[in-house]
Amino acid sequence: MRNIRVLVLEDDLETNKNILQLLREIENEKEVCFSVSILSDYVEVEEYVNKNPQIRFDVLLLDRDCFLGGSFHVVNLDYFDKDKIVSISSVPKYNKDAKKLGVRRSVWKDYKNLKSFKEKLRGQLIEIVE
């Protein structure tokens, strides 16, 4: 079974719950094992990711805003394969901004319909793990 390390930069607990449920479903379907790390604020990103380039992740799920008022876009994207980053902002402009930074994938997060978000994210993650 292949292990895939996933970094989730997201501060919303309901969104994180949906992401974790989705990853579990994909594990069962695709016979992969996800090792998941979730960081909930941009300070953690600066301290744990940007200062530790030896820590590698296979997939990055990238929101933009965090509850501290900062941006998850402070993450050093050079540490990631740009084709394995999915921008998951609820603000379309922020997903476009991520694409300007080299991110190739995005899924609009609609808080009123997280089920739809989850299904669209499923498609992106399936492409990445296959």
Side-chain angles (χ1 to χ4, degrees):
M1 189 172 292
R2 190 170 53 134
N3 183 49
I4 299 171
R5 298 185 64 184
V6 179
L7 175 60
V8 180
L9 302 182
E10 172 63 62
D11 62 344
D12 179 68
L13 293 177
E14 189 66 25
T15 301
N16 281 325
K17 177 183 115 177
N18 278 274
I19 290 170
L20 292 172
Q21 287 173 338
L22 173 59
L23 292 174
R24 181 68 181 130
E25 292 167 12
I26 294 172
E27 276 186 336
N28 291 335
E29 294 167 17
K30 297 297 179 184
E31 296 185 7
V32 297
C33 179
F34 290 109
S35 297
V36 182
S37 298
I38 299 173
L39 299 180
S40 297
D41 69 62
Y42 78 98
V43 175
E44 292 175 325
V45 172
E46 291 174 334
E47 292 298 317
Y48 299 130
V49 178
N50 290 351
K51 290 184 179 179
N52 295 296
Q54 72 280 5
I55 299 172
R56 294 288 181 196
F57 294 94
D58 303 303
V59 178
L60 171 61
L61 301 182
L62 176 63
D63 191 16
R64 182 178 178 274
D65 290 337
C66 86
F67 64 91
L68 293 180
S71 171
F72 288 119
H73 285 190
V74 299
V75 68
N76 187 339
L77 295 177
D78 292 335
Y79 297 161
F80 300 88
D81 177 343
K82 301 284 190 322
D83 195 46
K84 295 182 179 182
I85 302 170
V86 183
S87 178
I88 57 169
S89 180
S90 62
V91 178
K93 179 190 179 319
Y94 296 161
N95 287 328
K96 288 179 185 174
D97 290 347
K99 286 191 173 188
K100 290 177 186 172
L101 297 172
V103 175
R104 297 184 183 115
R105 300 172 182 269
S106 67
V107 174
W108 176 63
K109 177 176 50 193
D110 180 0
Y111 286 112
K112 294 178 183 175
N113 190 353
L114 285 175
K115 183 178 180 181
S116 173
F117 162 74
K118 185 176 161 184
E119 287 308 308
K120 291 174 184 170
L121 183 57
R122 170 190 298 279
Q124 294 295 316
L125 290 172
I126 295 295
E127 284 182 19
I128 290 170
V129 301
E130 288 186 332

